[in-house]
Amino acid sequence: RMERTIREQLFSKRFVKMSKVIKKAYAEEMKQGYNLRTAMEEASRCLLCHDAPCSKSCPAKTDPAKFIRSLRFRNIKGAAETIRENNPLAGCCAEVCPYGQLCEQACSRTGIDKPIEIGKLQKFLVEMEKREGMEFLHVEEKRDGKIACVGAGPASLACARELALFGYDVTIYEANEKAGGVLTYGIVPSRLPQEVVDFDIATIEKLGVTFKFNETIDAARLEELKAEYDAVFVGTGLWKSKVIDIPGKDLDGVVSAIDFLKDARLNKENMTLGDTVLVIGGGDVAMDCVTTAKQLGAKATIVYRRTIEEAPADIDEVMAVQSMGIPIIQEFAPGEIIGSKGHVTAMKFNGRDNESELTMKADQVVFAIGQAACDTTKDIKAGGKVFTGGDMVNGGKTVVQAVAEGKDAAAMIAAYLNK
């Protein structure tokens, strides 16, 4: 009995130690970056295309052809300057942009061997910008005009940065206590470290952009902003989770992806995490949820109603999930959530073949099946002095697309103020 007690104590200590290691991995960056030597070697592979298909394929117009050319000829500062001037969220995009579907897919080198790793080069250059204390942005001559940006996510941050550079007075209103939107509250830090987000935001704040936190903007408050400011940009994103109407959806332990990821970012040491977590969905958000659950110590599984080939998640994210040994169960759709004493205990699924059934144990179910605009902003339309952009308009795409729309909105606002 004494030997068994000692073994149990040793196992308990080992488990606690392993748990701490796993939780530490939640905050550790997955991707390994370049150093100067390897970055130069990768840049030397560039064919210096005259038509620069990579640059044409970047929604935010970051111009990878130009910054890679500068890097190739050892102009580190010039390369970093190109990125920062063109992309207000250069660091964030370097981490989460789907390069394989955009600039790298268009790279002419693809037809020879493999595309230039544009994302890793951008990441390296942003790191050099931060390490060397480079500053490139300077406000033009101040202009008359005050603009309010509602939401502090990618679209609003990009819009505010551009307007500040034009010389306008810009204030961002954010419902949360920190800026970043999905960058801060909706992406696992091993994929997007918070210090990267903070650095991008700091480059915007240095231009004189004012942030007001813990301010929710409803219809009445929006009218007040319209009276107070010369123009208003609304880019609040998608913060309302879609819910499947099945039995058991209101049981304790059933949560939305948005709430789950936000809770992990804010309270990873003390969040309520089930021992067995089922994540429902096949998009990037689902992949973030399941890796979060795994890294925080749970037994995590993804269940998706279609095949993984049909899943909207980026293939790199799917491969990351698989590399962690996380099961991905395909072609089973949610049927019913089973509970005991008000808490989830299992979940039933129906096969795509309309014959198969599956029941899985679970004490937490995370729905990652899509998002919608909040009730307070879903009916807001562009018109007059109100401009909109980002996920609430495009239905939820990529960070780089939101940046592009924020930049476009800034140009339209500047034209509106100068007409």
Side-chain angles (χ1 to χ4, degrees), residues 65-211:
K66 183 177 180 181
F67 75 68
I68 291 173
R69 184 178 290 109
S70 296
L71 176 59
R72 180 167 175 161
F73 294 103
R74 287 191 168 274
N75 183 3
I76 307 298
K77 186 174 181 179
E81 183 175 17
T82 295
I83 294 170
R84 181 58 61 187
E85 286 186 341
N86 291 331
N87 192 332
L89 297 176
C92 295
C93 286
E95 302 283 355
V96 300
C97 189
Y99 298 98
Q101 301 169 28
L102 298 170
C103 56
E104 289 184 9
Q105 184 181 60
C107 177
S108 298
R109 188 88 199 190
T110 304
I112 301 174
D113 44 22
K114 64 177 184 177
I116 306 299
E117 291 193 304
I118 297 171
K120 290 180 71 174
L121 291 178
Q122 180 169 322
K123 172 181 167 66
F124 164 74
L125 289 166
V126 172
E127 288 173 347
M128 289 295 291
E129 173 193 5
K130 181 180 180 181
R131 185 185 311 158
E132 301 299 324
M134 302 177 189
E135 292 192 10
F136 310 113
L137 305 177
H138 304 285
V139 177
E140 296 180 8
E141 183 178 351
K142 293 295 291 184
R143 305 186 189 192
D144 292 333
K146 291 169 44 180
I147 300 99
C149 291
V150 180
S156 283
L157 289 169
C159 181
R161 202 287 293 263
E162 297 302 286
L163 289 168
L165 285 174
F166 292 154
Y168 294 108
D169 184 1
V170 186
T171 301
I172 295 179
Y173 291 83
E174 168 57 40
N176 290 302
E177 59 186 21
K178 288 193 69 174
V182 68
L183 305 174
T184 295
Y185 295 105
I187 300 177
V188 60
S190 57
R191 194 154 74 91
L192 178 58
Q194 188 60 43
E195 57 265 27
V196 174
V197 181
D198 293 341
F199 178 67
D200 278 346
I201 293 173
T203 66
I204 296 170
E205 195 168 15
K206 286 179 181 178
L207 297 173
V209 174
T210 301
F211 288 85

Side-chain angles (χ1 to χ4, degrees), residues 283-294:
D284 286 338
V285 174
M287 302 301 152
D288 277 348
C289 288
V290 80
T291 55
T292 295
K294 176 75 171 182

Side-chain angles (χ1 to χ4, degrees), residues 302-376:
I302 275 189
V303 184
Y304 182 50
R305 62 192 176 98
R306 297 193 177 99
T307 64
I308 201 64
E309 291 81 10
E310 298 172 272
D314 186 83
I315 188 61
D316 288 339
E317 302 308 318
V318 175
M319 291 176 66
V321 168
Q322 292 174 326
S323 71
M324 294 172 66
I326 297 172
I328 300 178
I329 298 176
Q330 307 171 55
E331 299 190 278
F332 278 92
E336 177 185 358
I337 303 173
I338 302 168
S340 175
K341 298 180 180 179
H343 193 88
V344 59
T345 57
M347 188 166 181
K348 290 184 176 181
F349 298 88
N350 301 316
R352 196 176 186 179
D353 58 8
N354 295 319
E355 295 182 5
S356 304
E357 294 183 348
L358 173 67
T359 300
M360 297 188 67
K361 175 185 175 182
D363 49 22
Q364 190 165 30
V365 174
V366 181
F367 277 103
I369 57 171
Q371 291 132 236
C374 296
D375 293 336
T376 55

Side-chain angles (χ1 to χ4, degrees), residues 2-127:
M2 184 178 295
E3 289 179 357
R4 186 176 63 185
T5 303
I6 292 172
R7 284 199 304 270
E8 289 175 350
Q9 289 175 346
L10 289 173
F11 177 79
S12 177
K13 290 179 180 179
R14 185 180 178 189
F15 180 80
V16 170
K17 185 176 180 181
M18 288 175 63
S19 178
K20 289 181 178 179
V21 170
I22 292 171
K23 290 188 176 184
K24 182 181 179 183
Y26 169 71
E28 288 182 347
E29 191 171 1
M30 285 184 178
K31 297 178 182 178
Q32 296 299 313
Y34 281 136
N35 56 39
L36 178 59
R37 182 169 183 170
T38 54
M40 292 293 298
E41 289 174 354
E42 183 65 11
S44 69
R45 296 177 55 239
C46 180
L47 299 175
L48 303 177
C49 304
H50 178 68
D51 57 345
C54 59
S55 290
K56 292 178 181 178
S57 298
C58 177
K61 297 180 174 58
T62 310
D63 203 354
K66 183 177 180 181
F67 75 68
I68 291 173
R69 184 178 290 109
S70 296
L71 176 59
R72 180 167 175 161
F73 294 103
R74 287 191 168 274
N75 183 3
I76 307 298
K77 186 174 181 179
E81 183 175 17
T82 295
I83 294 170
R84 181 58 61 187
E85 286 186 341
N86 291 331
N87 192 332
L89 297 176
C92 295
C93 286
E95 302 283 355
V96 300
C97 189
Y99 298 98
Q101 301 169 28
L102 298 170
C103 56
E104 289 184 9
Q105 184 181 60
C107 177
S108 298
R109 188 88 199 190
T110 304
I112 301 174
D113 44 22
K114 64 177 184 177
I116 306 299
E117 291 193 304
I118 297 171
K120 290 180 71 174
L121 291 178
Q122 180 169 322
K123 172 181 167 66
F124 164 74
L125 289 166
V126 172
E127 288 173 347

